[in-house]
Amino acid sequence: MRNRIVMAAMEARLNTPDGGVTQDMIDYYKERAKGGAGAIVIENTYVDAYSSRSGIISSGMYNDHMIAGKNLLAEAIREEGALAILQLSHGGPQANPAANNYPILFPSLFEGANTSKEYKVLTEADIAEIVDAFAQAARRACWAGFNGVEFHAAHGYLLSSFLSPLRNQREDQYGGSVANRARILVEILEAARKEVDRDFILGVRMNVTDGKDGGVDEESATETAKILAPYVDYLNISGGFGETCGNVMITPSYVQAPVLASRIEKVYRKIKGMVPVFGVGALNYELGETCLENGCFDAAVFGRALIADPNWPNKLKRGMEADIRPCCRGNEGCFSRMLKGLPIRCELNPACGQERKYEIPKTKNKKKIVIVGGGTAGMECARVGALMGHEMVLFEQSDRLGGHLVEAGAPQFKSGLKQFKEWQIRQLEKLDVEIRLGSKATAEAVRELNPDCVIVAVGSQYIVPGIKGVEHTILPDRVCEADVQIGKKIVVIGGGMVGAETALSLSSDPEKEVAILEMRDALAPEHDPVARGILAGKLEENGVAVLLNSCAVEILPDQVAYKDDDGNIQTIAADTVVLATGLRADQAQVETFAEFPNVVCVGDCVKAGKVYHAMHGAWKTMFDLEREATR
């Protein structure tokens, strides 16, 4: 490899329904190879036409008809200087029941197994067929021009389930001891080596922990690694099962990174020199470099960091660290869409999965564009427009840029959003966008500039409902202000994402007692389901009382009265009340510019939403304007 940066296998869902390659898939991986990574590991690819497919839509290498398309993918990656490695997988117990029409295959029955769909425990004859399916898929990958394959034996998939004592309770030669549980992998590696070229790379991705008591741990992982070492060219060590997702793998921002480095290091030190070891765990470039310097592993594996900015390896090499777009680990788009089988997107990088559609052009018809509002959408419109070559003027009536990103990025666990806001501001400065802070964009002020287009991105305002005593509350954007005194007994009215995260931030102080009043029957239902589960767990850990189906009716100086699920009036002590009852589009400012001839509204002022919607709306707006300009 040209460096020690490896792109992790992550399902992009850009392939055809039968597992074939599309141009979007080629563009997506090519961009990350072009960005400077040393090796690109292509996502979870199923090996037979029966039960191995794990997702509603997955990459496939199950027959020779797949070779030609995968060759286009391998060549695109290799032409950009990266190694092209195809991850081969069998879903087993991890498979989505809707993935195929065949039984789900188990090493053995185990506690908690999903038997809602027809299942089958593998016989030794079945195992022999699966071994051959993996070997033939490796042969196809070799013929297709890949540098190697990675056998997926992590995260609860079939091979991972064989390695785990929680899921493998067989009593034959494939169960019991660590060596027996690893037997299927050894047989696959031996069979695959006979089918591929001598210099073809064979790797294995495996768990250092299943994330559950009684599962794979550092000791058994070390023993497994020693068994596999003579047969592999590298080990890629990760962790977690589907049911521990969020705690161990694909961790949201509420879980501190790096997640697995210390565990991987313990295995690495016992097998160092036997085989190269790759390590993962919510890494960014700084954490990856630190792990390498500390001897945690030989190469660092990056997932979402390369989704958010595929070019960060080259930027780092050129000393352009300040230009690296950070990942906020919100799981919005990259992971949240996977559960529905939708193509990959990124919260902060709208070009992800749409590289050809959103390749930023240099305009042939330069325009003067005025943007009203310096929040997420307004700043991104200004940045993209400046890259296209337009003259951009941005009005922001407050004394700072960022809009709701200011308070959203204030908690320590949301530092990724704070870094993103700072990145946006740096890019505007670098592109010489004219920024008028503390300047309200009146119709007269904008008209004087004689713009070709006006983009209204004035955002949203916090909703203040007509609750008696509402004057005793503060809004979420005031919580992080230095001049605001926060009491010891805090009630947050509203349990959406804003309210829940505000409560989590405040509850990090053990001296404070925090409660959430939420009138719906669920906490933050708009959140990614895995991240929502982790958020709820963190709130519980911090002792936050979450009162669902509870509606505030009166706010007093020292307590809040609310109606519970049974319609009874209850009270809860409070010396600080935070009002987090949602956001509403700022229509008043929108109307100011309604009469201008070329006006476009974008972001929260259209409909209050997430950062994802603001960013994707900004890109769509700028590309729509550019298409109109070239007509």
Side-chain angles (χ1 to χ4, degrees):
M1 295 190 295
R2 58 188 171 191
N3 54 46
R4 295 192 286 174
I5 299 169
V6 179
M7 179 179 173
M10 299 172 289
E11 293 182 41
R13 308 171 299 282
L14 296 169
N15 46 268
T16 61
D18 68 349
V21 171
T22 66
Q23 188 61 52
D24 282 347
M25 187 179 189
I26 292 171
D27 294 341
Y28 168 79
Y29 283 109
K30 180 182 178 70
E31 185 70 13
R32 277 126 192 103
K34 184 179 178 181
I40 305 293
V41 185
I42 306 302
E43 63 201 85
N44 167 18
T45 298
Y46 62 103
V47 296
D48 66 36
Y50 304 104
S51 291
S52 63
R53 181 162 63 181
S54 62
I56 298 173
I57 181 165
S58 297
S59 169
M61 201 58 159
Y62 53 88
N63 65 34
D64 287 3
H65 297 296
M66 295 281 109
I67 295 172
K70 289 297 194 293
N71 171 250
L72 298 176
L73 179 57
E75 285 185 345
I77 293 168
R78 296 181 67 171
E79 285 170 359
E80 298 296 344
L83 296 184
I85 299 174
L86 185 68
Q87 186 184 79
L88 299 177
S89 176
H90 191 301
Q94 196 62 37
N96 186 320
N100 51 64
N101 295 319
Y102 295 90
I104 297 176
L105 302 185
F106 292 174
S108 66
L109 277 178
F110 54 90
E111 185 178 351
N114 178 10
T115 56
S116 59
K117 182 182 175 180
E118 183 183 359
Y119 67 91
K120 179 181 180 182
V121 173
L122 290 165
T123 65
E124 291 194 12
D126 295 330
I127 290 172
E129 291 181 4
I130 289 171
V131 167
D132 184 62
F134 272 103
Q136 295 309 313
R139 169 185 61 80
R140 296 180 191 113
C142 183
W143 285 14
F146 285 92
N147 296 102
V149 294
E150 177 180 278
F151 297 109
H152 194 2
H155 305 161
Y157 290 77
L158 183 65
L159 301 183
S160 171
S161 294
F162 266 93
L163 294 178
S164 175
L166 285 174
R167 291 187 171 181
N168 184 350
Q169 294 163 23
R170 299 175 69 97
E171 297 180 353
D172 60 4
Q173 62 177 331
Y174 293 99
S177 67
V178 172
N180 278 359
R181 297 200 304 271
R183 186 180 303 277
I184 185 173
L185 252 177
V186 171
E187 291 179 355
I188 287 169
L189 289 162
E190 289 178 326
R193 180 55 69 193
K194 295 175 183 177
E195 298 287 345
V196 299
D197 294 343
R198 185 174 181 179
D199 62 350
F200 191 74
I201 298 165
L202 298 183
V204 167
R205 192 171 208 191
M206 57 175 281
N207 277 357
V208 68
T209 175
D210 291 339
K212 298 182 70 174
D213 292 340
V216 168
D217 56 19
E218 293 146 27
E219 184 178 349
S220 62
T222 300
E223 191 174 345
T224 300
K226 289 178 179 178
I227 292 168
L228 298 179
Y231 303 95
V232 297
D233 298 297
Y234 74 85
L235 292 173
N236 182 356
I237 303 183
S238 184
F241 275 172
E243 55 265 42
T244 59
C245 184
N247 282 307
V248 181
M249 63 178 185
I250 321 177
T251 52
S253 62
Y254 314 117
V255 179
Q256 187 174 357
V259 179
L260 294 168
S262 61
R263 291 176 171 177
I264 297 171
E265 181 184 2
K266 292 176 183 176
V267 175
Y268 175 62
R269 292 192 180 281
K270 293 177 182 177
I271 63 169
K272 189 174 182 179
M274 295 183 185
V275 63
V277 172
F278 302 171
V280 72
L283 302 177
N284 59 23
Y285 75 88
E286 293 167 312
L287 291 173
E289 191 66 52
T290 298
C291 288
L292 291 174
E293 289 175 351
N294 291 342
C296 297
F297 33 71
D298 294 304
V301 181
F302 301 87
R304 289 166 291 177
L306 282 164
I307 292 174
D309 191 339
N311 298 304
W312 74 255
N314 283 340
K315 291 177 181 177
L316 189 64
K317 183 178 180 180
R318 296 167 187 159
M320 299 167 61
E321 294 93 333
D323 291 330
I324 294 174
R325 183 195 288 109
C327 168
C328 67
R329 295 171 64 209
N331 288 355
E332 190 68 52
C334 57
F335 181 68
S336 63
R337 290 168 62 92
M338 185 178 80
L339 303 176
K340 299 176 181 178
L342 300 174
I344 192 168
R345 296 291 183 262
C346 176
E347 187 169 358
L348 306 183
N349 175 21
C352 170
Q354 304 180 96
E355 280 73 18
R356 187 161 299 214
K357 173 184 175 182
Y358 276 157
E359 183 177 358
I360 297 177
K362 281 295 181 183
T363 188
K364 296 178 181 178
N365 186 6
K366 184 175 181 179
K367 291 181 176 292
K368 177 182 279 189
I369 301 175
V370 169
I371 298 173
V372 184
T376 307
M379 286 197 290
E380 192 65 6
C381 283
R383 188 185 74 87
V384 174
L387 287 171
M388 289 176 171
H390 297 296
E391 180 184 351
M392 310 300 293
V393 181
L394 187 150
F395 283 84
E396 169 53 46
Q397 67 178 359
S398 74
D399 61 357
R400 62 188 181 186
L401 295 171
H404 291 307
L405 282 183
V406 174
E407 65 265 23
Q412 187 277 330
F413 56 82
K414 296 301 287 288
S415 60
L417 275 184
K418 180 182 178 182
Q419 292 166 9
F420 174 67
K421 178 200 70 178
E422 294 168 348
W423 175 83
Q424 280 190 305
I425 293 170
R426 282 196 302 272
Q427 299 312 300
L428 297 185
E429 293 170 349
K430 182 177 179 180
L431 292 165
D432 292 325
V433 171
E434 183 180 341
I435 299 171
R436 300 189 180 187
L437 286 179
S439 180
K440 185 173 177 62
T442 63
E444 292 76 18
V446 172
R447 194 172 287 113
E448 285 179 4
L449 292 172
N450 192 28
D452 296 294
C453 177
V454 177
I455 297 175
V456 181
V458 292
S460 57
Q461 301 294 329
Y462 285 104
I463 296 170
V464 180
I467 304 171
K468 187 177 180 180
V470 74
E471 65 273 12
H472 298 302
T473 67
I474 61 173
L475 296 173
D477 59 348
R478 293 284 289 151
V479 172
C480 59
E481 298 290 345
D483 63 334
V484 175
Q485 295 296 316
I486 304 294
K488 289 189 175 182
K489 294 182 182 296
I490 305 163
V491 171
V492 179
I493 299 177
M497 280 183 65
V498 173
E501 290 185 346
T502 299
L504 180 60
S505 177
L506 291 169
S507 66
S508 63
D509 181 348
E511 297 296 318
K512 299 189 184 301
E513 297 178 21
V514 184
I516 296 173
L517 293 179
E518 169 54 49
M519 62 193 302
R520 296 172 293 183
D521 61 359
L523 186 76
E526 71 275 25
H527 209 352
D528 163 66
V530 170
R532 182 174 68 236
I534 301 300
L535 174 57
K538 294 292 182 182
L539 289 169
E540 184 177 0
E541 285 178 23
N542 288 4
V544 176
V546 179
L547 305 175
L548 301 177
N549 300 305
S550 300
C551 181
V553 294
E554 185 176 3
I555 301 160
L556 299 166
D558 59 351
Q559 64 182 7
V560 176
Y562 67 95
K563 185 181 293 186
D564 66 17
D565 193 24
D566 296 322
N568 299 317
I569 300 298
Q570 308 284 355
T571 61
I572 183 170
D575 44 30
T576 298
V577 180
V578 181
L579 199 63
T581 50
L583 293 159
R584 181 181 290 124
D586 190 345
Q587 286 296 319
Q589 289 197 71
V590 170
E591 291 170 4
T592 301
F593 302 95
E595 301 304 319
F596 276 67
N598 296 306
V599 176
V600 182
C601 296
V602 64
D604 270 15
C605 70
V606 178
K607 181 182 179 182
K610 301 180 181 180
V611 173
Y612 179 99
H613 304 115
M615 290 293 294
H616 283 254
W619 277 61
K620 182 179 185 304
T621 294
M622 296 314 300
F623 274 76
D624 285 349
L625 288 174
E626 184 58 25
R627 279 190 289 271
E628 290 176 10
T630 56
R631 284 176 183 170

